[in-house]
């Protein structure tokens, strides 16, 4: 009986085991089927999508920056160019773990994070060849000398003269930051030595825009910002073509952040920017800018500007203004210190005053309503278009020639001649001289000036326009008027670009602008001769013009002085104490080479510190230098003296 019962129990155990094994096999089969199904789903259904996502995570597109085009003057002297440099950067949020991993693997050859970061901060200034400003702090009792961290003033690159090891260490310790720039503008070889010494740092390419002449011509050339985009001046006007087109390439990045060898693809080469040759003469620009700065300082003026044009081509040889910012310095600081990033000769209109009387003279001679030697009885005042206008000095009736009216700068005589010309004709000749419209020079922010349309003229308009008031123009427009007279009556729109050079090296001359005939060559020559009276000297004063200080010995000079009342912002009326002082002239008058326009804003003395407020002496200084530099032969002696006052 016991044997039979034991056999039954054994049979039951075997059956239970068989059932359990069946269940285990079934569960295993289900798991296997689930795994196979999952693998099939991944491989066949979502596999392509997951593969694409993985590729996106490891694929990086790198930018190969284009080199910005250079800017040169008319003789090939560098005005702006780009030099390749490096920025030393770091990722502070991963720096500590990186150093810890290296120390764990090579404990004898590496340091703990804190000593390592201290060593980086201590050695970095020496590795890039600059001073440690914190060493200076210690030598000066904890006070950093002003200017030790300043950028070089006249040097091309904005390379720091010193960096603070303390500030470097603070950046390295800042674990909340994902990216820090430790120092910019580092020489590529020195940057490579830094990265070799400290692999946890990165040397990133950085293009430095160099301005080797500092503030000279900066109002024209302009500057680019940290993002490589032109901020003002020519750099802004031609930013798109100067920049070029960046290239790029696609690479795969491994988990350690290193590019996978052989994964580079889709490479597109960068196209460098176009380079430009400007019409500027940098030596003349320097000379005029220095003379202008000195004149503004001597005269106590609020500011000033000067333009020199080639008399025939209209090319801008010089465009200077006082107080120009230095693009090699911090522009924000420069502006705070009162220096300018603008270009007033192009952007800022003003009333020219008597300088504009040459328009009246040209119209009167062209239309044959007078001759240079005609004698006029000129009273001390005249009622014109319902407005009483007087001369700048009190006088009774004077017998001035037409030449004398302009040589003496008589408002009354000028309006008498304008009345002969007529309002409609005068309005047309203003347009022919290009007033009230931009010149088209290749610079940003150019003003069109302000000339009331003929339909807007009121009773007093014609009493103001012929004597240079009631309208506004830029200094470039004002100088362009005299370029027309210098160029035998043909106005050539001024230009600043002489040629461009494509990335491939092909040089293309800038097209010459089409000239506009304003008056005949005979009229232009006659007006030039008449306006030589302005610089004529006479010990008795009878036959003397208003600007004899503009004369250059050995050369015939034609020009015109100007004084224009500024508008009082509070009253809206003309001020009796604030003036624009102007001068425009042609050198030499008999065979024109240069046209020079000058504007001084509210001078209180002469440009050499003498009495009076004339800009004529500054014209003399600029013209004499230009004539000498370009070896212009002296003028043939003039015959006799021009008659201004017929007594």
């Amino acid at each position: 009986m016991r044997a039979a019962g034991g056999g039954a129990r054994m049979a039951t155990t075997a059956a239970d085991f068989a059932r359990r094994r069946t269940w285990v096999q079934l569960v295993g089969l289900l798991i296997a089927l689930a795994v196979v199904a999952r693998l099939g789903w991944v491989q066949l259904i979502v596999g392509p999508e997951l593969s694409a996502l993985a590729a996106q995570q490891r694929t990086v597109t790198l930018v190969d920056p284009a080199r910005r085009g250079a800017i040169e003057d008319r003789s090939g002297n560098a005005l702006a160019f780009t030099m390749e440099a490096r920025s030393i950067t770091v990722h502070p949020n991963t720096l500590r773990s990186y150093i810890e991993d290296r120390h764990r693997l090579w404990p004898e050859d590496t340091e703990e994070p804190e000593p390592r970061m201290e060593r980086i901060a201590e050695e970095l200034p020496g590795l890039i060849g600059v001073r440690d400003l914190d060493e200076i702090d210690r030598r000066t009792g904890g006070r950093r000398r002003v200017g030790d961290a300043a950028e070089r003033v006249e040097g091309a690159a904005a390379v720091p003269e010193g960096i603070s090891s303390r500030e470097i260490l603070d950046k390295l310790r800042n674990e909340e930051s994902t990216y820090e720039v430790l120092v910019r503008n580092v020489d590529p070889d020195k940057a490579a030595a830094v990265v070799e010494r400290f692999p946890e740092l990165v040397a990133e390419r950085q293009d430095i825009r160099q301005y080797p002449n500092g503030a000279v011509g900066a109002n024209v050339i302009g500057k680019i910002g940290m993002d490589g985009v032109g901020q003002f001046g020519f750099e802004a006007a031609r930013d798109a073509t100067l920049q070029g087109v960046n290239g790029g390439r696609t690479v795969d990045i491994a988990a350690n952040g290193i590019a996978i060898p052989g994964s580079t693809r889709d490479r597109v080469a960068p196209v460098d920017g176009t380079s430009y040759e400007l019409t500027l003469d940098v030596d003349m620009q320097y000379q005029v800018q220095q003379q202008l700065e000195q004149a503004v300082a001597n005269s106590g003026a609020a500011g000033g500007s000067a333009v020199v044009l080639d008399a025939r081509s209209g090319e801008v040889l010089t465009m200077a203004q006082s107080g120009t910012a230095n693009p090699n310095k911090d522009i924000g600081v420069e502006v705070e210190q009162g220096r300018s990033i603008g270009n007033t000769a192009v952007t800022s209109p003003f009333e020219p005053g008597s300088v504009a009387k040459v328009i009246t003279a040209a119209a009167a001679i062209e239309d044959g309503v007078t001759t240079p030697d005609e004698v006029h009885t000129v009273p001390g005042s005249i009622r014109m278009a319902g407005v009483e206008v007087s001369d700048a000095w009190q006088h009774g009736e004077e017998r001035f020639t037409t030449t004398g009216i302009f040589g003496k700068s008589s408002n009354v005589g000028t309006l008498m001649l304008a009345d002969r010309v007529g309002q409609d004709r005068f309005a047309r000749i203003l347009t022919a001289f290009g007033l009230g419209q931009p010149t088209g020079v290749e610079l940003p922010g150019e003003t069109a000036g302000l000339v009331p349309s003929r339909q807007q003229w009121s009773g007093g308009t014609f009493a103001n326009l012929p004597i240079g008031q009631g309208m506004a123009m830029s200094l470039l427009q004002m100088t362009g008027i005299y370029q027309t007279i210098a160029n035998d009556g043909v106005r050539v729109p001024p230009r600043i670009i002489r040629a461009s050079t494509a990335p491939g090296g092909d040089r293309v001359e800038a097209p010459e602008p089409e000239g506009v005939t304003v008056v005949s060559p005979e009229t232009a020559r006659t007006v030039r001769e008449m306006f030589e009276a302005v610089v004529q000297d006479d010990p008795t004063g009878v036959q003397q013009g208003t600007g004899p200080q503009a004369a250059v010995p050995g050369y015939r000079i034609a020009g015109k002085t100007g004084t224009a009342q500024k508008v009082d912002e509070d009253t809206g009326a003309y001020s009796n104490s604030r003036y624009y002082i102007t001068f425009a002239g042609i050198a030499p008058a008999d065979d024109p080479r240069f046209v020079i326009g000058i504007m001084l804003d509210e001078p209180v003395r002469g440009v050499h510190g003498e009495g009076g407020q004339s800009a004529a002496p500054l014209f003399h200084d600029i013209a004499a230098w230009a004539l000498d530099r370009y070896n212009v032969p002296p003028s043939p002696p003039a015959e006799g003296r021009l008659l201004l006052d017929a007594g």
Side-chain angles (χ1 to χ4, degrees):
M1 292 295 290
R2 291 192 188 99
R9 284 196 297 275
M10 291 178 63
T12 300
T13 301
D16 291 340
F17 178 75
R19 282 195 298 274
R20 286 196 294 272
R21 184 174 62 184
T22 300
W23 280 107
V24 169
Q25 289 175 341
L26 180 60
V27 170
L29 179 61
L30 291 174
I31 292 173
L33 288 174
V35 170
V36 170
R38 180 61 178 171
L39 287 174
W41 172 264
V42 170
Q43 292 291 332
L44 301 177
I45 306 300
V46 299
E49 182 179 354
L50 292 175
S51 179
L53 290 173
Q56 290 178 5
Q57 291 177 349
R58 69 171 183 267
T59 298
V60 175
T61 299
L62 303 178
V63 175
D64 292 327
R67 183 178 294 273
R68 191 175 181 88
I71 304 174
E72 299 177 341
D73 82 337
R74 64 189 301 111
S75 299
N77 298 305
L79 301 177
F81 62 94
T82 297
M83 186 179 76
E84 187 176 325
R86 297 290 185 271
S87 292
I88 305 299
T89 65
V90 68
H91 299 282
N93 61 326
T94 61
L95 178 61
R96 186 174 291 274
S97 61
Y98 176 87
I99 296 174
E100 289 173 345
D101 290 342
R102 283 175 55 86
H103 183 64
R104 186 173 61 254
L105 294 173
W106 300 285
E108 296 181 358
D109 298 330
T110 58
E111 302 163 292
E112 292 283 356
E114 191 62 28
R116 179 71 170 181
M117 289 188 286
E118 291 177 356
R119 184 179 298 276
I120 293 173
E122 180 183 352
E123 295 185 11
L124 187 58
L127 287 172
I128 65 174
V130 301
R131 294 175 292 176
D132 183 351
L133 297 181
D134 293 310
E135 289 290 338
I136 296 172
D137 282 351
R138 289 188 283 275
R139 291 200 307 271
T140 57
R143 293 177 301 167
R144 184 174 302 170
R145 290 203 302 267
V146 175
D148 283 328
E151 297 173 346
R152 292 192 177 101
V153 175
E154 295 298 339
V159 180
E161 294 184 346
I163 58 174
S164 166
S165 57
R166 185 185 303 123
E167 292 176 1
I168 296 295
L169 185 58
D170 289 343
K171 290 181 178 181
L172 295 173
R173 287 172 172 168
N174 184 13
E175 296 183 45
E176 295 182 358
S177 174
T178 60
Y179 179 81
E180 292 285 348
V181 177
L182 302 182
V183 62
R184 301 182 188 274
N185 307 336
V186 179
D187 178 88
D189 292 337
K190 292 179 179 179
V194 169
V195 174
E196 184 178 1
R197 176 73 179 87
F198 300 111
E200 53 267 56
L201 305 182
V202 179
E204 297 183 4
R205 171 173 168 167
Q206 177 193 0
D207 288 340
I208 303 176
R209 194 62 168 173
Q210 309 255 29
Y211 299 98
N213 302 293
V216 177
N219 56 309
V220 177
I221 302 161
K223 177 182 171 62
I224 65 170
M226 293 299 297
D227 56 359
V229 176
Q231 292 181 312
F232 59 93
F234 190 78
E235 292 273 32
R238 285 293 184 272
D239 185 63
T241 49
L242 281 165
Q243 275 197 34
V245 181
N246 291 336
R249 50 200 163 92
T250 302
V251 298
D252 291 334
I253 303 296
N256 60 1
I258 305 300
I260 299 174
S263 66
T264 301
R265 59 195 181 276
D266 301 333
R267 187 186 296 272
V268 177
V271 178
D272 291 338
T274 299
S275 294
Y276 288 93
E277 177 186 320
L278 303 187
T279 61
L280 293 181
D281 177 342
V282 71
D283 292 332
M284 183 184 288
Q285 179 76 29
Y286 172 82
Q287 186 71 21
V288 173
Q289 204 161 322
Q290 293 300 309
Q291 291 175 339
L292 181 64
E293 291 281 8
Q294 191 63 52
V296 168
N298 289 342
S299 66
S305 51
V307 170
V308 182
L309 300 179
D310 182 287
R312 300 302 183 187
S313 68
E315 292 180 340
V316 178
L317 301 176
T318 294
M319 185 178 287
Q321 71 181 44
S322 61
T324 300
N326 188 333
N328 292 323
K329 291 185 176 182
D330 186 313
I331 292 298
V333 173
E334 288 280 273
V335 172
E336 288 178 0
Q337 294 176 348
R339 305 194 72 82
S340 172
I341 61 174
N343 189 357
T344 55
V346 169
T347 63
S348 303
F350 59 93
E351 292 196 5
S354 295
V355 165
K357 289 176 180 176
V358 72
I359 300 174
T360 306
I365 296 298
E366 177 75 1
D367 291 0
V369 299
T370 189
T371 62
D373 297 327
E374 181 186 358
V375 178
H376 308 264
T377 300
V378 180
S381 64
I382 186 175
R383 189 161 189 84
M384 184 80 167
V387 176
E388 190 79 17
V389 179
S390 301
D391 278 334
W393 74 103
Q394 290 186 351
H395 65 84
E397 289 188 348
E398 296 278 1
R399 298 184 71 244
F400 293 144
T401 62
T402 301
T403 298
I405 284 174
F406 298 106
K408 296 287 188 179
S409 198
S410 168
N411 294 332
V412 175
T414 302
L415 290 177
M416 291 169 59
L417 292 171
D419 193 45
R420 295 185 186 182
V421 171
Q423 297 190 32
D424 292 340
R425 167 61 171 150
F426 192 79
R428 291 196 301 272
I429 201 166
L430 288 176
T431 301
F433 270 106
L435 302 180
Q437 52 196 297
T439 67
V441 71
E442 306 92 339
L443 292 171
E446 185 185 12
T447 180
L450 178 62
V451 176
S453 66
R454 179 67 182 90
Q455 294 77 16
Q456 295 176 319
W457 289 18
S458 61
T461 301
F462 199 50
N464 282 322
L465 295 180
I467 59 175
Q469 293 201 302
M471 61 179 172
M473 62 186 69
S474 69
L475 181 60
L476 183 60
Q477 288 175 314
M478 188 186 88
T479 312
I481 295 171
Y482 282 75
Q483 185 275 329
T484 303
I485 301 301
N487 192 37
D488 289 341
V490 178
R491 175 171 61 87
V492 180
R495 57 189 172 118
I496 197 72
I497 297 176
R498 199 167 190 227
S500 61
T501 302
D506 294 333
R507 184 177 185 276
V508 179
E509 296 279 348
E512 294 185 7
E514 185 175 350
V516 178
T517 299
V518 180
V519 294
S520 69
E522 294 77 18
T523 294
R525 287 193 289 269
T526 299
V527 171
R528 290 202 302 269
E529 292 174 1
M530 289 169 55
F531 276 67
E532 289 184 52
V534 172
V535 303
Q536 182 169 279
D537 195 8
D538 179 12
T540 68
V542 176
Q543 306 302 336
Q544 180 169 300
T546 58
Q549 308 95 327
V552 179
Y555 295 92
R556 293 172 60 181
I557 301 296
K560 186 71 188 75
T561 55
T563 302
Q565 293 171 288
K566 297 182 68 173
V567 174
D568 189 310
E569 294 85 353
D570 296 329
T571 64
Y574 284 115
S575 169
N576 291 320
S577 59
R578 301 168 58 205
Y579 301 92
Y580 292 115
I581 304 299
T582 56
F583 192 96
I586 301 166
D590 54 301
D591 185 14
R593 288 289 305 276
F594 306 108
V595 180
I596 303 169
I598 300 167
M599 185 277 289
L600 297 175
D601 187 359
E602 297 187 35
V604 295
R605 297 177 297 277
V607 296
H608 293 156
E610 73 282 11
Q613 298 173 323
S614 175
L618 181 56
F619 174 91
H620 162 85
D621 296 343
I622 295 172
W625 188 91
L627 292 166
D628 179 68
R629 169 178 168 75
Y630 281 83
N631 296 316
V632 178
S635 303
E639 297 182 2
R641 185 188 296 274
L642 294 170
L643 181 65
L644 281 64
D645 191 331

